[in-house]
Amino acid sequence: MRYFHAKKRFGQSFLKGKRIVKKIVSCADIDNETVVEIGAGKGILTKLISAYAKMVYAVELDRELISTLEDLDLSNVKVINKDFLQLDLRDFGKPVIIGNIPYSITTQILGMLAQQKGAFKRAVLTIQKEYGARLLAKAGSAKYGSITLFTSYHFQVKKVFAIPARFFSPQPKVSSLVIKLTNRAKPFYLKDENAFFEMIKGIFCYRRKYMKNALMNYLHDVPQGLDSALLQKRPGDLTLHDYYAVYCKL
């Protein structure tokens, strides 16, 4: 085993514990499929994934870890020294995505997966527990926000299981959560998805205000024809379809 010092700039925290690794791989339901692994690290997940996958593309940005991954010497594993965010998933033949991802780029990874949602089958991601709670939040809860709505528009999000911080090295200050994303049909048609979600983010800047005042602050106007009951709610009380009703009036 090569000595390696984790780098903060990459948000590295390496998973340990065979039982946890088995649970992650099991919930991915790999059946002789192609897998793209985000941040393969030292290869603890890679080794077990390779036992079930047809082909594994172990993506790792840190050049110092490439030799460690290549030393695994697994015939169905190809190591790729690249930033996952720069990949075109169409190059991998509709793979399954698995990854213990850096907390700092979770939003970027979700955005990338949403842009390429037709190019992969499903994704099993280990993320910060607090962030996972935001993705799974219900309207009206404190953790509900624009990222909740963005993710639910694109994916079915399933909580799989939590991982205590002690199963990582170096040990982070927070626990993690394994989630499973599967593609869903879009609930409604949007000509400009970016504009829709920018509107939601803008309104959530005023989440403590009633919608009527939030719209005045964000748009400097209240669109005509909106349900008066909706205007008496706060941004965190509106569903995805409620925001669509607002957007249609703009």
Side-chain angles (χ1 to χ4, degrees), residues 116-163:
Q116 301 192 43
K117 61 186 291 186
F120 69 96
K121 294 178 179 178
R122 57 193 174 278
V124 174
L125 307 176
T126 303
I127 62 176
Q128 185 178 348
K129 189 176 181 181
E130 178 75 14
Y131 196 103
R134 291 168 59 194
L135 299 185
L136 295 158
K138 303 297 183 184
S141 70
K143 297 185 185 300
Y144 185 77
S146 57
I147 191 63
T148 317
L149 292 158
F150 175 82
T151 309
S152 66
Y153 175 81
H154 290 286
F155 305 109
Q156 295 285 352
V157 185
K158 179 183 178 182
K159 174 183 175 180
V160 185
F161 65 96
I163 306 177

Side-chain angles (χ1 to χ4, degrees), residues 12-17 19-20 100 103 126-130 161-178:
Q12 290 171 337
S13 193
F14 302 106
L15 188 64
K16 58 183 182 178
R19 183 175 63 86
I20 297 294
N100 168 31
Y103 296 158
T126 303
I127 62 176
Q128 185 178 348
K129 189 176 181 181
E130 178 75 14
F161 65 96
I163 306 177
R166 68 179 182 274
F167 287 100
F168 293 89
S169 178
Q171 183 171 314
K173 295 179 180 179
V174 295
S175 297
S176 296
L177 186 71
V178 179

